[in-house]
Amino acid sequence: MGFKNFRFQVILRVLLIVFTVFLFFRLDFKASLFATQVAVGVLIAAQTVALILYIERTTDRLIKFLNTIKYDDFSEVFSSRGEGKVFDELYQRYNEVIRKFRDIRSEKEATTQYYQAVIQHIGIGILTFKKSGEIQLINNAAKRLLQVPHLLHVEQLRANAPQLVAQLQTLPAGQSVVLQLKHAKERVPVSLFVVDLVMRGEDFRLASLQNIQKELEEKEMEAWQNLIRVLTHEIMNSVTPISSLAGSVAADIDDYLKAQPGSVLQLQREETEDMGLALQTIERRSQGLVRFVQDFRSLARVPVPQKHFFEVGEMLKELQTLFQEEYNQENIQVSFQCQPQTLQVLADRQLVEQVLINLLKNAIHALADQKDKLLQIDAFPDMDSRVVLQVSDNGSGIAEEAIEQIFLPFYTTKPTGTGIGLSLSRQIMRLHNGSLTVHSELGIGTTFTMRF
């Protein structure tokens, strides 16, 4: 044990070198002892090299330990060689560090396997790829949607889904788009959403693909049910009194024919006036029904926007002039702000004006019962550089249950309203790839937001 002790070995070797050096100089470079002195010099060199090699040998384990970390190989075990207490403790620490790294790697592998299992079993398609298009991960749901058993590069999809490839590469991060994917003879609507990631200094894109066929069908069915309900309600409101009144007039005429069987029919003036009034009512309600159908046709025939750049501030000034007389009559205090003054938007100006006119008329109607009437119009770019137009009033507000329905065709809270204005306005904004939303609080006011 003592002969293996590192300190003992170093001290012994140093003492031997010192003794040999002392002996070398004791020979005093005498000619008769030249061979002996050379031999002693060689012995000094050999002992020095042996000491260096012995000390360097103790660093081999440190190098081996560092290599286990460098190459992620934690199978090495360091055992004691009887080199002393310090080295025993050092090797023990080596083993503890290796065990810790081994546990961390095992935990990391288990976590990776867990997340991979989750990703592979979720119903939404997940796809990650480098900027070059090289696929890093694709789950089973994505394979089913894309109809591929495996995928190595995004360009492999170009033959069957060129639009998808283009959107995967160019769609701005954080945005989504709906695409059509070919499945045999059918086309499946798919929602695509992408985000950009950076991992270890390299750029990646993560894309999610979701089949929205069921959701679209449910929304379509719900929309048709709402439309049918509204149409049925409106038509029945007009047809029921027409049918009742027509039946009453027909019954009266039948009674007169039975009472006067001859070729000449005599009616009192009062009776004739009653019939005439009934026919006028039937005509008026019939015209209302025709007007309702025409409104429905106008809702279904919104023209395709002819987009061009125009200044928003100039358009708002013209609308201010257009409504100024009505503002004065209703004692409405109006203000509008456009920041910056040169703010421009790419849109169909006539259609945008139509939406604003409808929103301004609604605001004027909402302010009818207010004492201090305030109307605010704002135009500005949002954080995503999208142009925003807002029309705000301090009217009575809109009830929560009504907010969910005000964009439905023919739904209206006005006694004389047609109920197509807001629905038509939202449809115009959608044709501009924009949105029309509303925020309202009872007793405080309402704000309509147009976002392009």
Side-chain angles (χ1 to χ4, degrees):
M1 177 72 178
F3 290 102
K4 291 183 179 181
N5 188 281
F6 178 77
R7 291 178 180 175
F8 178 81
Q9 286 280 340
V10 171
I11 293 172
L12 179 61
R13 290 171 185 270
V14 171
L15 289 175
L16 287 173
I17 292 174
V18 171
F19 175 76
T20 307
V21 170
F22 176 76
L23 179 62
F24 177 80
F25 286 101
R26 285 286 294 174
L27 295 175
D28 201 20
F29 301 99
K30 294 178 180 180
S32 59
L33 299 175
F34 178 76
T36 304
Q37 195 167 19
V38 170
V40 173
V42 172
L43 181 60
I44 292 172
Q47 288 177 331
T48 303
V49 171
L51 176 61
I52 294 172
L53 292 176
Y54 179 77
I55 295 174
E56 286 182 347
R57 193 170 60 193
T58 61
T59 63
D60 289 344
R61 287 200 164 191
L62 175 60
I63 294 173
K64 187 180 293 186
F65 168 72
L66 295 176
N67 283 335
T68 61
I69 298 175
K70 179 180 179 180
Y71 298 110
D72 203 23
D73 179 15
F74 304 116
S75 59
E76 186 70 33
V77 176
F78 294 88
S79 58
S80 173
R81 293 181 176 180
E83 297 171 306
K85 182 178 180 182
V86 173
F87 282 91
D88 290 345
E89 186 175 353
L90 177 62
Y91 297 150
Q92 182 182 352
R93 294 292 181 267
Y94 282 172
N95 291 330
E96 289 176 357
V97 172
I98 289 175
R99 281 195 299 271
K100 186 66 175 179
F101 273 106
R102 191 186 299 128
D103 292 342
I104 292 173
R105 185 176 66 178
S106 299
E107 184 178 351
K108 179 181 176 181
E109 290 175 351
T111 303
T112 301
Q113 291 176 358
Y114 170 76
Y115 284 119
Q116 285 181 344
V118 172
I119 290 173
Q120 291 298 332
H121 285 84
I122 60 177
I124 298 176
I126 300 295
L127 185 71
T128 63
F129 57 95
K130 297 180 180 180
K131 289 293 185 181
S132 61
E134 181 184 349
I135 301 296
Q136 295 298 301
L137 181 146
I138 180 170
N139 70 346
N140 294 327
K143 291 178 182 178
R144 288 194 298 269
L145 279 175
L146 300 174
Q147 294 187 309
V148 291
H150 54 81
L151 192 64
L152 300 178
H153 201 280
V154 171
E155 288 297 327
Q156 293 178 241
L157 300 170
R158 188 171 293 279
N160 295 324
Q163 188 179 7
L164 173 62
V165 175
Q167 293 291 350
L168 283 172
Q169 296 173 339
T170 61
L171 184 66
Q175 296 190 19
S176 61
V177 66
V178 176
L179 303 170
Q180 298 284 337
L181 295 182
K182 290 182 180 179
H183 278 197
K185 296 182 179 180
E186 300 180 355
R187 287 186 174 271
V188 177
V190 174
S191 175
L192 170 66
F193 179 82
V194 299
V195 295
D196 288 334
L197 304 173
V198 178
M199 185 170 61
R200 294 180 181 177
E202 189 171 7
D203 293 332
F204 288 84
R205 297 211 98 184
L206 186 149
S208 65
L209 297 162
Q210 184 175 8
N211 186 341
I212 57 173
Q213 179 73 49
K214 183 178 180 180
E215 289 78 2
L216 287 179
E217 290 177 353
E218 291 177 354
K219 288 294 182 182
E220 183 179 5
M221 182 61 66
E222 182 182 351
W224 276 112
Q225 290 174 347
N226 289 332
L227 181 60
I228 291 172
R229 185 172 65 251
V230 172
L231 287 174
T232 303
H233 176 74
E234 292 293 334
I235 291 174
M236 288 301 296
N237 283 347
S238 295
V239 171
T240 300
I242 291 175
S243 176
S244 176
L245 196 56
S248 177
V249 172
D252 289 343
I253 292 176
D254 186 59
D255 290 342
Y256 292 139
L257 290 175
K258 290 180 180 179
Q260 304 179 41
S263 58
V264 179
L265 185 65
Q266 294 182 353
L267 297 175
Q268 299 294 327
R269 182 179 182 84
E270 182 179 355
E271 295 170 344
T272 305
E273 289 177 350
D274 289 343
M275 288 187 181
L277 181 61
L279 293 175
Q280 288 177 3
T281 303
I282 292 173
E283 180 187 18
R284 187 167 59 254
R285 295 305 304 158
S286 299
Q287 289 176 348
L289 186 58
V290 170
R291 189 163 54 252
F292 170 80
V293 174
Q294 289 175 341
D295 289 339
F296 178 73
R297 291 177 63 188
S298 68
L299 183 64
R301 294 181 179 179
V302 180
V304 177
Q306 304 298 319
K307 298 181 181 180
H308 62 277
F309 282 102
F310 62 88
E311 291 192 1
V312 177
E314 179 184 343
M315 177 188 65
L316 294 180
K317 289 180 181 179
E318 292 185 6
L319 290 176
Q320 178 84 353
T321 303
L322 179 65
F323 281 91
Q324 190 60 53
E325 185 64 27
E326 194 166 356
Y327 294 153
N328 294 337
Q329 291 179 357
E330 298 292 335
N331 294 320
I332 298 176
Q333 182 179 347
V334 182
S335 63
F336 75 90
Q337 293 183 355
C338 180
Q339 295 294 336
Q341 296 292 330
T342 57
L343 181 64
Q344 292 188 335
V345 64
L346 179 62
D348 188 318
R349 177 164 175 168
Q350 292 183 349
L351 292 179
V352 173
E353 286 181 349
Q354 183 176 346
V355 175
L356 281 171
I357 288 172
N358 182 60
L359 296 180
L360 291 171
K361 285 185 173 294
N362 286 348
I364 293 172
H365 176 80
L367 293 169
D369 298 330
Q370 293 297 113
K371 183 177 180 181
D372 297 321
K373 303 177 182 180
L374 301 177
L375 180 58
Q376 177 73 36
I377 307 168
D378 297 298
F380 55 91
D382 64 7
M383 296 181 64
D384 297 324
S385 298
R386 300 177 65 181
V387 177
V388 177
L389 296 176
Q390 288 185 331
V391 178
S392 305
D393 64 70
N394 66 334
S396 56
I398 305 173
E400 185 175 352
E401 58 272 14
I403 287 181
E404 299 177 359
Q405 304 182 65
I406 58 174
F407 291 108
L408 291 177
F410 307 109
Y411 178 86
T412 180
T413 58
K414 303 176 185 177
T416 58
T418 61
I420 68 167
L422 288 176
S423 178
L424 183 62
S425 297
R426 174 169 276 188
Q427 190 170 346
I428 289 173
M429 291 303 299
R430 284 177 176 169
L431 290 174
H432 283 83
N433 295 321
S435 62
L436 175 62
T437 58
V438 60
H439 173 75
S440 185
E441 295 184 39
L442 289 175
I444 295 178
T446 301
T447 297
F448 282 92
T449 301
M450 303 166 59
R451 196 179 303 273
F452 292 88

